[in-house]
Amino acid sequence: MPTQDLILLAMDASPTLDLMVKAFNASEFEVAIVHDQAGLDKSVQQSTPALMIVGEFFNGEDGFSVSTGILERFPTMPIILYAEKDTPGLAQHVIKTGISGYLHPPLKMEDIVNEVRRTLTRARKLGDWLRREVRRTTASLEQKAQISEAERGKLEAIISNIQDGVLVLDESHRILMANKTVYEIFSLNGSPILGRYLKDVIPNADLSALIDRARNGALKYHEINFDDGRVYNAQYTPLPRIGSAVTMQDISYLKEIDRLKNDFIHTVSHDLRSPLTSVLGYMELIERVGPLNESQHEFLGRLRAGVHHMTSLVNELLDLGRLESGFDTRRETVDLKNVLEYSLNVFDNQIKKKNLQMTCEFSENLKPLRANPIRIRQMIDNLVGNAIKYTPDGGAVKLNLSMQEGQIVFRVTDSGPGIPPDEQNRVFEKFFRASNRPNDVEGSGLGLAIVKSIVESHQGRVWVESKVGVGSTFIVLLPMHE
Ligand code: ADP
């Protein structure tokens, strides 16, 4: 036999209450009566009524507030309010409170039972709909969870099998994830590294340098060199709300090709030097062995300029070779301000000839640097020389030397033609000359490659910020701890 629906009456004693009890007893409902708030709370909790009828005045309290209290805890509970009389605004108040219906005298038993049946039917429909919605939402959530689990699995398989090393760190540099390649790169032999601090389990100086400097925004790439000749290009990417990721590609073969190319250039340059010296020598002799006519003089002059140009190219190539081979280890105390002033003296004529507006700024706290003075002079000459060379007549060149966070910062700003964005990194490559440079400006395309090698041999960094038609700023950072 199906259990009967329980109707809970929260009403003060009255003839209407008696009438209601009689009506429910005569129909399919069970009935329970409470006369105060405590009884009401207990009954609602324990006997789970199907519907409640609350008196407009209940044990000295307002029936509307009593109903609101119930609905806050049981939002789907059907409640009928019994009002002593129908007043204007009663229906509106009932709707606003979220009460399902209301009764008021005159009442017959069948009015009471009919209203209760109607309200229960409506409540059941609402309940069914809610259950269906919950089932539908749960099913769709489960499906989504399954999809995202499958996606996660796929992603994990991809990350763990790709050839590049992928390392994910949290904000305090504990390892959150490392793929197979990372274990191979650092010969970790499957030792447990997850959850541990990077510096404890992978104490690699190049990797630490990348992470330390990347955090300050100074560096995004760094080469990781191993004693066995392997070289990896490591790239740092900040991951918001996670920490960071470091990806590593094996570039050993590119380095090897680069080394072979450099060896070749070095050998050729070396072999060219002696014949060039003898060509120059014989050219000097030609003039001594007999008189030359005007044309011969002119041709000889052109030959001499050509041979000088070739000689300086060969010397620059040899220089680069020496720098790249890492033999350049001479270190002395260098006063950068002095070096810069000497360099400017050399360019004085050109500055005047081009009518350039030169400005120099030196910060007070400049400290001497441990460096190779000849190389530093070469670096400054190249950068200042380029600024003067590429800036049109009447333009401006600004030099600035300062100290920031233990690093020397040297900036050379000019109002020259600028460098197109996609070529800004390439100007540091050997023989690269930007597409928008004025045609009449001579050069070999080696100056900035030499600058880069010098700066890197002092553990520094150089880059350019430039806007076509506005000018360029070359920036050099040199760490003091060198
Ligand atoms: P180059 O002998 O051609 O000057 P560099 O290696 O010194 O060789 O410079 C490479 C290229 O970078 C130059 O050919 C030029 O296109 C560009 N460049 C260098 N410095 C500047 C500058 N201050 N303003 C504009 N372009 C520059």
Side-chain angles (χ1 to χ4, degrees), residues 316 382-391 412-420 423-424 426-438 441-451 464 466 471-474:
E316 281 181 345
N382 271 323
L383 290 177
V384 176
N386 275 351
I388 292 171
K389 188 163 81 167
Y390 289 105
T391 304
V412 183
T413 306
D414 63 50
S415 62
I419 301 166
E423 297 182 2
Q424 288 175 13
R426 300 204 60 198
V427 291
F428 296 98
E429 289 173 15
K430 286 176 208 129
F431 301 113
F432 185 86
R433 306 199 75 202
S435 55
N436 67 330
R437 97 197 112 83
V441 179
E442 289 197 348
S444 61
L446 285 174
L448 289 179
I450 293 179
V451 166
V464 62
S466 182
S472 313
T473 299
F474 283 82

Side-chain angles (χ1 to χ4, degrees), residues 96-393:
K96 265 196 195 156
T97 316
I99 294 172
S100 313
Y102 64 97
L103 290 166
H104 57 80
L107 277 177
K108 287 197 266 183
M109 279 182 18
E110 63 196 74
D111 296 337
I112 300 168
V113 174
N114 285 344
E115 180 59 21
V116 167
R117 281 193 190 128
R118 239 194 337 267
T119 308
L120 274 177
T121 312
R122 254 201 331 265
R124 282 198 182 111
K125 277 190 185 149
L126 180 70
D128 289 348
W129 176 81
L130 265 178
R131 270 187 291 282
R132 266 201 316 276
E133 277 305 294
V134 168
R135 260 203 305 277
R136 202 175 56 80
T137 318
T138 316
S140 124
L141 279 176
E142 273 169 4
Q143 196 188 1
K144 279 197 185 126
Q146 272 167 10
I147 293 172
S148 67
E149 185 58 27
E151 292 294 320
R152 207 174 68 93
K154 255 193 253 172
L155 206 66
E156 246 178 44
I158 294 169
I159 291 175
S160 74
N161 288 302
I162 53 174
Q163 290 300 309
D164 293 351
V166 180
L167 191 63
V168 181
L169 308 174
D170 71 7
E171 273 156 1
S172 46
H173 297 157
R174 269 185 298 239
I175 300 175
L176 291 178
M177 204 204 87
N179 72 350
K180 241 173 25 203
T181 314
V182 170
Y183 285 83
E184 283 162 16
I185 295 174
F186 296 100
S187 312
L188 295 168
N189 300 328
S191 48
I193 60 168
L194 297 186
R196 301 181 60 188
Y197 287 104
L198 178 73
K199 62 177 172 18
D200 294 341
V201 282
I202 310 181
N204 179 289
D206 289 332
L207 188 59
S208 307
L210 168 69
I211 287 166
D212 286 348
R213 296 210 217 158
R215 233 181 353 179
N216 311 328
L219 198 70
K220 292 273 176 288
Y221 304 88
H222 199 54
E223 281 181 9
I224 301 183
N225 292 280
F226 290 91
D227 292 343
D228 57 8
R230 283 176 305 137
V231 185
Y232 287 84
N233 179 38
Q235 186 182 2
Y236 178 95
T237 315
L239 300 176
R241 291 193 302 278
I242 298 175
S244 55
V246 179
T247 47
M248 288 160 263
Q249 298 97 33
D250 189 349
I251 53 163
S252 315
Y253 69 102
L254 291 176
K255 283 279 158 184
E256 182 56 16
I257 294 172
D258 203 40
R259 194 187 60 76
L260 290 174
K261 190 190 74 191
N262 288 344
D263 284 357
F264 171 75
I265 292 175
H266 190 76
T267 314
V268 172
S269 328
H270 197 264
D271 291 352
L272 277 177
R273 205 152 67 158
S274 329
L276 280 175
T277 318
S278 68
V279 170
L280 268 180
Y282 282 110
M283 277 165 55
E284 300 298 327
L285 285 179
I286 286 178
E287 285 185 309
R288 292 198 206 155
V289 289
L292 300 178
N293 65 28
E294 212 175 305
S295 299
Q296 285 169 328
H297 245 306
E298 190 198 325
F299 295 159
L300 201 60
R302 288 195 196 173
L303 274 175
R304 195 179 287 117
V307 177
H308 273 304
H309 185 70
M310 276 173 83
T311 312
S312 64
L313 190 69
V314 162
N315 284 337
E316 281 181 345
L317 282 171
L318 285 172
D319 242 7
L320 253 179
R322 269 193 292 272
L323 277 163
E324 285 174 350
S325 60
F327 293 142
D328 183 60
T329 50
R330 175 176 156 190
R331 293 291 178 265
E332 286 171 27
T333 304
V334 179
D335 182 339
L336 282 167
K337 192 176 161 202
N338 272 349
V339 181
L340 191 57
E341 279 165 351
Y342 278 124
S343 174
L344 279 177
N345 277 341
V346 174
F347 289 111
D348 206 35
N349 276 343
Q350 289 181 52
I351 297 170
K352 285 199 179 114
K353 212 160 117 196
K354 291 187 85 173
N355 195 19
L356 297 178
Q357 187 198 329
M358 285 300 291
T359 339
C360 296
E361 289 170 357
F362 303 105
S363 75
E364 300 263 301
N365 56 349
L366 275 182
K367 287 198 190 115
L369 180 75
R370 292 289 298 166
N372 179 332
I374 294 172
R375 295 300 185 195
I376 293 291
R377 170 72 192 269
Q378 201 177 1
M379 180 265 288
I380 291 178
D381 281 356
N382 271 323
L383 290 177
V384 176
N386 275 351
I388 292 171
K389 188 163 81 167
Y390 289 105
T391 304
D393 292 2

Side-chain angles (χ1 to χ4, degrees), residues 5-9 20-22 24-25 29-33:
D5 285 326
L6 174 72
I7 311 297
L8 183 66
L9 303 175
M20 285 187 184
V21 174
K22 217 160 126 195
F24 293 130
N25 284 337
F29 300 110
E30 237 184 281
V31 70
I33 305 168

